Amino acid sequence: ARPRVGYYYSGKSPHEVVAAKIRRFKVGELQSRPVVVGEATSIHDAIITLFLEDVGTLFVAREGGILEGVVSRKDLLKIAFGTGDIRNLPVGVIMTRMPNIITTSPEEPAWEAARKLVLHEVDALPVVEPVADNKNELRVVGRFSKTTVARLFVEIGERR
Amino acid sequence: ARPRVGYYYSGKSPHEVVAAKIRRFKVGELQSRPVVVGEATSIHDAIITLFLEDVGTLFVAREGGILEGVVSRKDLLKIAFGTGDIRNLPVGVIMTRMPNIITTSPEEPAWEAARKLVLHEVDALPVVEPVADNKNELRVVGRFSKTTVARLFVEIGERR
């Protein structure tokens, strides 16, 4: 545990201490397990998966976990609300597709990832890593969501 | 602007400085406008409202803004996914109903409200105020969501 001292030298204003602390966390320390489906999964089955796994966003990947798309609860509500045949429509037709997906990586500061969530108005980002032999392919390794940020915020505010 | 000093006396460890700062924000400083429908609104119209207003949660209130219920995107997806007649079913049949609603108030620390979001696994809380003449009634005055927390987190981490 950190020793308690009455004062300390930091060269920083209290605001900077707080900002620096908040910017120190890495996505990789906080990310959750990604919930992944294939592009051919029916929208019906995707909705079932969303409820069973209790997440707000599904990532669509092919063999090897290569990211192909993202489908949100909002996308699924829009289609379930329509008259489409969700048993025979694949998620591929409604997903946001690469390269239009906002992603993060385990090494990115969580603060930057939170900024992406806010700026791009999405609920979750896939945490990805490059695939050695192909710069255009990304492997999904985690999930970073507004829930992740809320949990971190609560944890930082705990008195220890 | 706060003067920049090389050191300062606070009687607190850096961690406590950060925790104290995070606990200082009030819900009332951060809340958004609530998006409210009546209990008789059809589920169909509630979904339309959700998309038009681009929110994840609707609050259900009666005259005077008195809180009656809460309906989430998740609740709406579940029913839109089913075979119910969403044009003729009112949101009242699927909403979480008072007194089972987790709420916050403008004076509550945002940190406590964030903690409620995490603990109760909900995306948004209605910000409420008591109604003078009835202790069991609450008036909806705002919305506090995981998005609110993410925005605050990003703002605190900005270098100024």
Side-chain angles (χ1 to χ4, degrees):
Chain A
R2 195 180 283 125
R4 305 238 167 166
V5 291
Y7 62 91
Y8 59 95
Y9 180 86
S10 69
K12 285 176 178 170
S13 72
H15 176 77
E16 287 174 318
V17 170
V18 173
K21 160 109 183 187
I22 282 199
R23 295 170 80 114
R24 201 176 304 137
F25 298 91
K26 291 274 196 284
V27 166
E29 304 169 53
L30 305 165
Q31 71 189 36
S32 308
R33 186 177 55 83
V35 178
V36 175
V37 297
E39 190 174 338
T41 305
S42 72
I43 289 166
H44 173 277
D45 290 353
I47 295 173
I48 300 271
T49 305
L50 199 86
F51 280 110
L52 285 179
E53 300 277 355
D54 199 20
V55 292
T57 306
L58 298 175
F59 302 138
V60 182
R62 59 182 161 76
E63 222 173 309
I66 306 304
L67 183 64
E68 303 266 54
V70 168
V71 189
S72 69
R73 197 183 277 155
K74 192 166 157 183
D75 298 325
L76 293 169
L77 177 58
K78 200 175 284 173
I79 190 85
F81 180 60
T83 51
D85 175 6
I86 61 173
R87 282 185 189 273
N88 292 312
L89 272 182
V91 290
V93 303
I94 61 162
M95 72 186 186
T96 300
R97 187 178 289 274
M98 284 290 283
N100 303 317
I101 301 174
I102 313 297
T103 64
T104 182
S105 68
E107 288 310 306
E108 184 165 57
W111 181 81
E112 295 283 359
R115 212 158 152 259
K116 289 179 178 176
L117 291 173
V118 170
L119 284 179
H120 298 283
E121 298 183 350
V122 292
D123 288 330
L125 302 175
V127 184
V128 298
E129 282 175 345
V131 177
D133 50 344
N134 188 328
K135 293 204 171 177
N136 296 318
E137 291 188 344
L138 299 169
R139 180 175 290 118
V140 189
V141 298
R143 177 165 57 91
F144 184 93
S145 69
K146 284 179 182 163
T147 303
T148 316
V149 178
R151 269 200 218 108
L152 174 60
F153 181 80
V154 169
E155 197 182 282
I156 297 174
E158 299 280 359
R159 288 190 192 104
R160 291 185 212 165
Chain B
R2 196 180 282 123
R4 305 235 167 170
V5 292
Y7 62 91
Y8 59 94
Y9 180 85
S10 69
K12 287 176 176 171
S13 71
H15 176 76
E16 286 174 318
V17 171
V18 174
K21 160 109 182 185
I22 282 200
R23 294 169 80 114
R24 201 176 304 136
F25 298 91
K26 292 275 196 286
V27 166
E29 304 168 52
L30 306 166
Q31 71 190 35
S32 309
R33 185 178 55 85
V35 178
V36 174
V37 296
E39 189 174 339
T41 305
S42 73
I43 289 166
H44 173 275
D45 290 353
I47 295 174
I48 300 272
T49 304
L50 199 86
F51 280 111
L52 286 179
E53 300 276 355
D54 199 20
V55 291
T57 306
L58 299 174
F59 303 136
V60 183
R62 58 180 162 78
E63 221 173 310
I66 307 304
L67 183 65
E68 304 265 53
V70 168
V71 189
S72 69
R73 197 183 278 156
K74 192 166 157 184
D75 297 328
L76 293 169
L77 177 58
K78 200 175 283 172
I79 191 86
F81 180 61
T83 50
D85 175 6
I86 62 172
R87 282 184 189 273
N88 291 311
L89 271 182
V91 289
V93 303
I94 61 163
M95 71 187 188
T96 300
R97 187 178 289 273
M98 285 287 286
N100 302 318
I101 301 175
I102 313 297
T103 64
T104 181
S105 68
E107 287 311 306
E108 185 165 56
W111 181 80
E112 294 284 359
R115 211 157 154 258
K116 288 179 179 176
L117 291 173
V118 171
L119 284 178
H120 299 283
E121 299 183 350
V122 291
D123 288 329
L125 303 175
V127 183
V128 297
E129 282 175 345
V131 176
D133 50 343
N134 188 327
K135 294 202 169 175
N136 295 319
E137 291 188 344
L138 298 169
R139 180 174 292 119
V140 189
V141 297
R143 178 165 57 92
F144 184 94
S145 70
K146 283 178 183 165
T147 303
T148 316
V149 178
R151 269 198 221 111
L152 173 61
F153 181 79
V154 169
E155 196 182 285
I156 297 173
E158 299 281 358
R159 287 188 193 107
R160 290 182 215 170

